[in-house]
Amino acid sequence: MTNWSPFPPRTREAQFDEKWAFVAKKEKRCSPDEPADARKGDHWDHVAFDPEHRLVVAVVPGKRTAGNVGSLVREFRRRTGGRMMGLITTDEYAPYREAILGAYGEVVTPPRTGRPGRPRKPYRVPPGGLVYATVHKTRRRGRVVEVEMRTVFGTAEQVAGALARSAVSRSVNTSFVERQNGTDRNCNARKVRKTYCFSKDWEVHQAVTYFTLYSYNFCWPVRTLGVRGEDGRWRRRTPAMAAGLTDHVWSISEWLTLPAVQRK
């Protein structure tokens, strides 16, 4: 997805989220005596999503850990050419803050003071253009009754400006990536919440995760991305078409037969 022209995509804002599934059995059913490399239990898709073009930019499957969150944000930054996003939103999962700061932050090296003792270590600070906000949901009896925005990096004025410039968002939210989570569950029966089709093998589960999420970009026309042509007819578009990565809807056969490495 990333080693052929015209990459990178036109992504201007991002939403990060995690989607739960399990392999073999749920985490609470795993025995503490099982080896750590048993590859069973809860399995999460860490997804970086472009809400404007409905594009899955990056996914890191595996356990829900700070390390995987960091890998996701770094991969997203690489796949978007290192550009600063107009707005980044997530839920309140704590590792996102350090991951985003680690990927986009600027390194500050404290000057030497000339005094005895160990000098201060370099640290990262958010650059002026980094705008990151989280969504705080208040639940009562299992229902969301209030949604509150909290600014992490940037100012409230910068968040308001980013929302004013956004083509799709009028408030800080993770609705677009959460909607894509539902689409992926519909495409991948292994992730339906109550099913006998759940995965039994960790590697196969991850392989199908990559297949469904990335083929969605090129092979799944999204209704809300359609545009009216000069002849008055609506033209279907996939996320990859909207993001400038291709000019047509791909078939599954075309997706499967595309060489993984394009040799000149």
Side-chain angles (χ1 to χ4, degrees):
M1 177 178 175
T2 62
N3 52 6
W4 53 277
S5 182
F7 207 84
R10 300 168 180 163
T11 303
R12 294 185 292 184
E13 58 184 282
Q15 295 184 358
F16 297 109
D17 196 25
E18 320 86 55
K19 177 170 72 272
W20 172 85
F22 67 93
V23 175
K25 51 187 172 181
K26 296 179 181 178
E27 196 75 25
K28 63 183 179 181
R29 302 295 183 188
C30 293
S31 170
D33 299 329
E34 290 185 278
D37 59 350
R39 299 289 184 106
K40 297 179 181 179
D42 291 353
H43 186 287
W44 297 78
D45 297 339
H46 303 74
V47 179
F49 193 71
D50 173 352
E52 180 179 356
H53 306 111
R54 313 298 196 274
L55 185 78
V56 176
V57 181
V59 57
V60 175
K63 292 294 185 180
R64 193 177 189 230
T65 64
N68 280 335
V69 169
S71 297
L72 175 71
V73 178
R74 289 192 299 271
E75 182 67 5
F76 173 83
R77 185 180 186 276
R78 184 185 72 83
R79 292 189 174 195
T80 52
R83 298 194 312 272
M84 188 70 69
M85 295 294 106
L87 177 64
I88 299 175
T89 57
T90 73
D91 57 18
E92 290 190 299
Y93 189 39
Y96 280 116
R97 185 186 188 281
E98 290 303 317
I100 292 172
L101 183 61
Y104 291 96
E106 298 175 347
V107 178
V108 175
T109 303
R112 292 295 187 97
T113 62
R115 298 176 182 177
R118 183 176 299 174
R120 292 180 60 191
K121 295 181 179 180
Y123 59 93
R124 288 183 178 269
V125 297
L130 181 59
V131 182
Y132 167 44
T134 62
V135 175
H136 172 71
K137 297 179 180 179
T138 302
R139 290 181 171 86
R140 293 176 186 169
R141 297 183 179 180
R143 293 181 178 273
V144 176
V145 296
E146 184 181 1
V147 179
E148 179 184 357
M149 181 273 289
R150 295 180 177 177
T151 302
V152 181
F153 297 137
T155 64
E157 291 75 16
Q158 286 179 304
V159 173
L163 291 173
R165 293 186 296 271
S166 174
V168 291
S169 298
R170 294 296 171 263
S171 62
V172 173
N173 68 88
T174 54
S175 301
F176 293 93
V177 64
E178 289 170 357
R179 179 63 187 87
Q180 204 287 325
N181 289 345
T183 297
D184 187 57
R185 289 188 189 278
N186 182 64
C187 296
N188 189 346
R190 297 165 181 267
K191 298 177 185 176
V192 176
R193 291 189 177 275
K194 295 183 179 180
T195 178
Y196 288 120
C197 298
F198 61 87
S199 293
K200 284 75 176 176
D201 183 272
W202 192 271
E203 284 75 16
V204 172
H205 183 90
Q206 294 198 153
V208 178
T209 292
Y210 287 124
F211 175 79
T212 58
L213 282 170
Y214 287 145
S215 63
Y216 153 87
N217 285 338
F218 291 85
C219 308
W220 184 284
V222 177
R223 179 180 56 83
T224 53
L225 292 179
V227 294
R228 192 183 296 274
E230 295 180 358
D231 57 358
R233 296 183 178 181
W234 283 95
R235 179 191 178 206
R236 300 190 308 163
R237 294 196 305 169
T238 62
M241 293 172 66
L245 298 179
T246 186
D247 59 358
H248 66 283
V249 179
W250 289 30
S251 66
I252 292 294
S253 176
E254 184 179 6
W255 166 257
L256 290 174
T257 56
L258 177 77
V261 177
Q262 301 292 308
R263 300 191 182 278
K264 298 181 180 180

mmCIF file of all heavy atoms in Angstrom, residues 35 54 59 67 84 92 109 122 132 138 150-151 172 188-189 205 218 225 232 245 250 262 264:
data_model
loop_
_atom_site.group_PDB
_atom_site.id
_atom_site.type_symbol
_atom_site.label_atom_id
_atom_site.label_comp_id
_atom_site.label_asym_id
_atom_site.label_seq_id
_atom_site.Cartn_x
_atom_site.Cartn_y
_atom_site.Cartn_z
ATOM 1 N N PRO A 35 1.719 -20.402 28.637
ATOM 2 C CA PRO A 35 2.909 -19.596 28.323
ATOM 3 C C PRO A 35 2.517 -18.266 27.700
ATOM 4 O O PRO A 35 1.458 -18.128 27.072
ATOM 5 C CB PRO A 35 3.679 -20.471 27.324
ATOM 6 C CG PRO A 35 2.651 -21.414 26.762
ATOM 7 C CD PRO A 35 1.668 -21.646 27.872
ATOM 8 N N ARG A 54 -12.358 8.579 4.491
ATOM 9 C CA ARG A 54 -12.771 7.257 4.992
ATOM 10 C C ARG A 54 -11.687 6.210 4.733
ATOM 11 O O ARG A 54 -11.978 5.049 4.455
ATOM 12 C CB ARG A 54 -14.087 6.791 4.360
ATOM 13 C CG ARG A 54 -15.207 7.811 4.333
ATOM 14 C CD ARG A 54 -15.661 8.254 5.720
ATOM 15 N NE ARG A 54 -16.950 8.915 5.673
ATOM 16 C CZ ARG A 54 -17.133 10.215 5.435
ATOM 17 N NH1 ARG A 54 -16.073 10.992 5.239
ATOM 18 N NH2 ARG A 54 -18.344 10.737 5.417
ATOM 19 N N VAL A 59 -2.796 0.076 10.298
ATOM 20 C CA VAL A 59 -3.364 -0.794 11.327
ATOM 21 C C VAL A 59 -2.241 -1.622 11.931
ATOM 22 O O VAL A 59 -1.353 -2.092 11.221
ATOM 23 C CB VAL A 59 -4.473 -1.709 10.757
ATOM 24 C CG1 VAL A 59 -3.950 -2.560 9.604
ATOM 25 C CG2 VAL A 59 -5.047 -2.612 11.848
ATOM 26 N N GLY A 67 3.170 -0.157 23.452
ATOM 27 C CA GLY A 67 4.098 -0.376 22.357
ATOM 28 C C GLY A 67 3.402 -0.422 21.008
ATOM 29 O O GLY A 67 3.884 0.151 20.022
ATOM 30 N N MET A 84 2.177 17.389 9.324
ATOM 31 C CA MET A 84 1.420 17.666 10.543
ATOM 32 C C MET A 84 -0.061 17.658 10.196
ATOM 33 O O MET A 84 -0.503 18.313 9.251
ATOM 34 C CB MET A 84 1.819 19.024 11.119
ATOM 35 C CG MET A 84 1.220 19.296 12.497
ATOM 36 S SD MET A 84 1.962 18.255 13.766
ATOM 37 C CE MET A 84 3.619 18.948 13.820
ATOM 38 N N GLU A 92 -9.835 8.288 25.346
ATOM 39 C CA GLU A 92 -8.957 8.676 26.459
ATOM 40 C C GLU A 92 -7.928 7.614 26.825
ATOM 41 O O GLU A 92 -7.366 7.659 27.922
ATOM 42 C CB GLU A 92 -9.808 9.017 27.682
ATOM 43 C CG GLU A 92 -10.589 10.303 27.536
ATOM 44 C CD GLU A 92 -11.237 10.743 28.835
ATOM 45 O OE1 GLU A 92 -12.077 9.975 29.346
ATOM 46 O OE2 GLU A 92 -10.914 11.821 29.332
ATOM 47 N N THR A 109 17.142 19.975 23.940
ATOM 48 C CA THR A 109 18.310 19.586 24.726
ATOM 49 C C THR A 109 18.638 20.703 25.707
ATOM 50 O O THR A 109 19.025 21.805 25.295
ATOM 51 C CB THR A 109 19.523 19.322 23.819
ATOM 52 O OG1 THR A 109 19.175 18.301 22.870
ATOM 53 C CG2 THR A 109 20.724 18.875 24.630
ATOM 54 N N PRO A 122 17.656 15.177 27.261
ATOM 55 C CA PRO A 122 16.782 15.788 26.251
ATOM 56 C C PRO A 122 15.344 15.310 26.428
ATOM 57 O O PRO A 122 15.091 14.183 26.864
ATOM 58 C CB PRO A 122 17.384 15.298 24.929
ATOM 59 C CG PRO A 122 18.797 14.954 25.252
ATOM 60 C CD PRO A 122 18.775 14.432 26.656
ATOM 61 N N TYR A 132 -4.231 18.175 19.214
ATOM 62 C CA TYR A 132 -4.688 16.842 19.612
ATOM 63 C C TYR A 132 -5.710 16.992 20.724
ATOM 64 O O TYR A 132 -5.472 17.666 21.722
ATOM 65 C CB TYR A 132 -3.500 15.991 20.073
ATOM 66 C CG TYR A 132 -3.862 14.722 20.794
ATOM 67 C CD1 TYR A 132 -4.877 13.888 20.319
ATOM 68 C CD2 TYR A 132 -3.201 14.333 21.952
ATOM 69 C CE1 TYR A 132 -5.211 12.715 20.986
ATOM 70 C CE2 TYR A 132 -3.506 13.163 22.619
ATOM 71 C CZ TYR A 132 -4.519 12.351 22.132
ATOM 72 O OH TYR A 132 -4.847 11.193 22.798
ATOM 73 N N THR A 138 -19.354 10.096 29.191
ATOM 74 C CA THR A 138 -19.951 9.771 30.482
ATOM 75 C C THR A 138 -21.090 8.792 30.251
ATOM 76 O O THR A 138 -22.009 9.070 29.465
ATOM 77 C CB THR A 138 -20.480 11.034 31.177
ATOM 78 O OG1 THR A 138 -19.394 11.968 31.341
ATOM 79 C CG2 THR A 138 -21.074 10.696 32.539
ATOM 80 N N ARG A 150 -11.732 17.280 25.361
ATOM 81 C CA ARG A 150 -10.625 17.718 26.195
ATOM 82 C C ARG A 150 -9.392 17.932 25.316
ATOM 83 O O ARG A 150 -8.969 17.025 24.587
ATOM 84 C CB ARG A 150 -10.324 16.681 27.285
ATOM 85 C CG ARG A 150 -11.474 16.534 28.283
ATOM 86 C CD ARG A 150 -11.193 15.518 29.360
ATOM 87 N NE ARG A 150 -12.287 15.451 30.325
ATOM 88 C CZ ARG A 150 -12.336 14.591 31.350
ATOM 89 N NH1 ARG A 150 -11.341 13.732 31.537
ATOM 90 N NH2 ARG A 150 -13.365 14.603 32.176
ATOM 91 N N THR A 151 -8.822 19.120 25.373
ATOM 92 C CA THR A 151 -7.646 19.457 24.574
ATOM 93 C C THR A 151 -6.392 18.952 25.272
ATOM 94 O O THR A 151 -6.184 19.212 26.456
ATOM 95 C CB THR A 151 -7.551 20.974 24.368
ATOM 96 O OG1 THR A 151 -8.754 21.439 23.736
ATOM 97 C CG2 THR A 151 -6.364 21.325 23.495
ATOM 98 N N VAL A 172 -15.254 17.605 18.113
ATOM 99 C CA VAL A 172 -14.233 16.588 18.350
ATOM 100 C C VAL A 172 -14.937 15.253 18.552
ATOM 101 O O VAL A 172 -15.821 15.129 19.401
ATOM 102 C CB VAL A 172 -13.382 16.943 19.572
ATOM 103 C CG1 VAL A 172 -12.436 15.802 19.924
ATOM 104 C CG2 VAL A 172 -12.599 18.222 19.312
ATOM 105 N N ASN A 188 -15.601 -9.068 8.205
ATOM 106 C CA ASN A 188 -14.754 -10.107 8.779
ATOM 107 C C ASN A 188 -15.526 -10.825 9.876
ATOM 108 O O ASN A 188 -15.617 -10.339 11.006
ATOM 109 C CB ASN A 188 -13.476 -9.468 9.341
ATOM 110 C CG ASN A 188 -12.449 -10.492 9.766
ATOM 111 O OD1 ASN A 188 -12.750 -11.678 9.899
ATOM 112 N ND2 ASN A 188 -11.225 -10.044 10.001
ATOM 113 N N ALA A 189 -16.077 -11.983 9.549
ATOM 114 C CA ALA A 189 -16.917 -12.717 10.500
ATOM 115 C C ALA A 189 -16.159 -13.143 11.748
ATOM 116 O O ALA A 189 -16.772 -13.433 12.773
ATOM 117 C CB ALA A 189 -17.516 -13.942 9.822
ATOM 118 N N HIS A 205 -5.510 -14.889 12.007
ATOM 119 C CA HIS A 205 -6.366 -13.761 12.389
ATOM 120 C C HIS A 205 -5.740 -12.435 11.947
ATOM 121 O O HIS A 205 -6.426 -11.566 11.395
ATOM 122 C CB HIS A 205 -6.573 -13.762 13.899
ATOM 123 C CG HIS A 205 -7.504 -12.689 14.383
ATOM 124 N ND1 HIS A 205 -8.859 -12.879 14.491
ATOM 125 C CD2 HIS A 205 -7.276 -11.408 14.765
ATOM 126 C CE1 HIS A 205 -9.426 -11.769 14.923
ATOM 127 N NE2 HIS A 205 -8.488 -10.861 15.106
ATOM 128 N N PHE A 218 -9.554 0.024 -1.308
ATOM 129 C CA PHE A 218 -9.543 0.036 -2.768
ATOM 130 C C PHE A 218 -10.767 -0.626 -3.402
ATOM 131 O O PHE A 218 -11.091 -0.323 -4.552
ATOM 132 C CB PHE A 218 -8.279 -0.670 -3.275
ATOM 133 C CG PHE A 218 -7.014 0.084 -3.008
ATOM 134 C CD1 PHE A 218 -6.356 -0.038 -1.797
ATOM 135 C CD2 PHE A 218 -6.475 0.927 -3.958
ATOM 136 C CE1 PHE A 218 -5.186 0.668 -1.539
ATOM 137 C CE2 PHE A 218 -5.312 1.643 -3.717
ATOM 138 C CZ PHE A 218 -4.671 1.511 -2.505
ATOM 139 N N LEU A 225 -19.089 8.939 -0.202
ATOM 140 C CA LEU A 225 -17.987 9.498 -0.984
ATOM 141 C C LEU A 225 -18.362 9.707 -2.448
ATOM 142 O O LEU A 225 -17.553 10.218 -3.224
ATOM 143 C CB LEU A 225 -16.758 8.580 -0.913
ATOM 144 C CG LEU A 225 -16.061 8.460 0.442
ATOM 145 C CD1 LEU A 225 -14.889 7.488 0.345
ATOM 146 C CD2 LEU A 225 -15.574 9.816 0.938
ATOM 147 N N GLY A 232 -24.538 14.189 -14.807
ATOM 148 C CA GLY A 232 -25.582 14.166 -13.797
ATOM 149 C C GLY A 232 -25.679 12.870 -13.031
ATOM 150 O O GLY A 232 -26.449 12.781 -12.059
ATOM 151 N N LEU A 245 -5.272 7.988 -4.353
ATOM 152 C CA LEU A 245 -4.356 6.866 -4.530
ATOM 153 C C LEU A 245 -4.649 6.049 -5.781
ATOM 154 O O LEU A 245 -3.803 5.269 -6.221
ATOM 155 C CB LEU A 245 -4.404 5.947 -3.302
ATOM 156 C CG LEU A 245 -3.985 6.580 -1.974
ATOM 157 C CD1 LEU A 245 -4.104 5.569 -0.847
ATOM 158 C CD2 LEU A 245 -2.568 7.122 -2.056
ATOM 159 N N TRP A 250 -11.349 -0.985 -7.492
ATOM 160 C CA TRP A 250 -10.636 -2.231 -7.767
ATOM 161 C C TRP A 250 -11.530 -3.437 -7.494
ATOM 162 O O TRP A 250 -12.370 -3.416 -6.582
ATOM 163 C CB TRP A 250 -9.400 -2.346 -6.876
ATOM 164 C CG TRP A 250 -8.295 -1.402 -7.224
ATOM 165 C CD1 TRP A 250 -8.415 -0.155 -7.775
ATOM 166 C CD2 TRP A 250 -6.899 -1.622 -7.018
ATOM 167 N NE1 TRP A 250 -7.193 0.427 -7.922
ATOM 168 C CE2 TRP A 250 -6.239 -0.448 -7.468
ATOM 169 C CE3 TRP A 250 -6.164 -2.663 -6.508
ATOM 170 C CZ2 TRP A 250 -4.851 -0.308 -7.414
ATOM 171 C CZ3 TRP A 250 -4.782 -2.535 -6.447
ATOM 172 C CH2 TRP A 250 -4.134 -1.376 -6.904
ATOM 173 N N GLN A 262 6.775 -3.161 -6.377
ATOM 174 C CA GLN A 262 6.800 -2.719 -7.759
ATOM 175 C C GLN A 262 8.249 -2.518 -8.197
ATOM 176 O O GLN A 262 8.946 -1.642 -7.674
ATOM 177 C CB GLN A 262 6.020 -1.407 -7.905
ATOM 178 C CG GLN A 262 4.558 -1.522 -7.469
ATOM 179 C CD GLN A 262 3.775 -2.401 -8.420
ATOM 180 O OE1 GLN A 262 3.789 -2.207 -9.617
ATOM 181 N NE2 GLN A 262 3.098 -3.371 -7.871
ATOM 182 N N LYS A 264 11.054 -1.467 -10.972
ATOM 183 C CA LYS A 264 11.180 -0.630 -12.155
ATOM 184 C C LYS A 264 12.066 -1.307 -13.216
ATOM 185 O O LYS A 264 12.971 -2.033 -12.882
ATOM 186 C CB LYS A 264 11.785 0.741 -11.765
ATOM 187 C CG LYS A 264 10.914 1.509 -10.800
ATOM 188 C CD LYS A 264 11.541 2.846 -10.475
ATOM 189 C CE LYS A 264 10.662 3.624 -9.496
ATOM 190 N NZ LYS A 264 11.251 4.952 -9.160
#
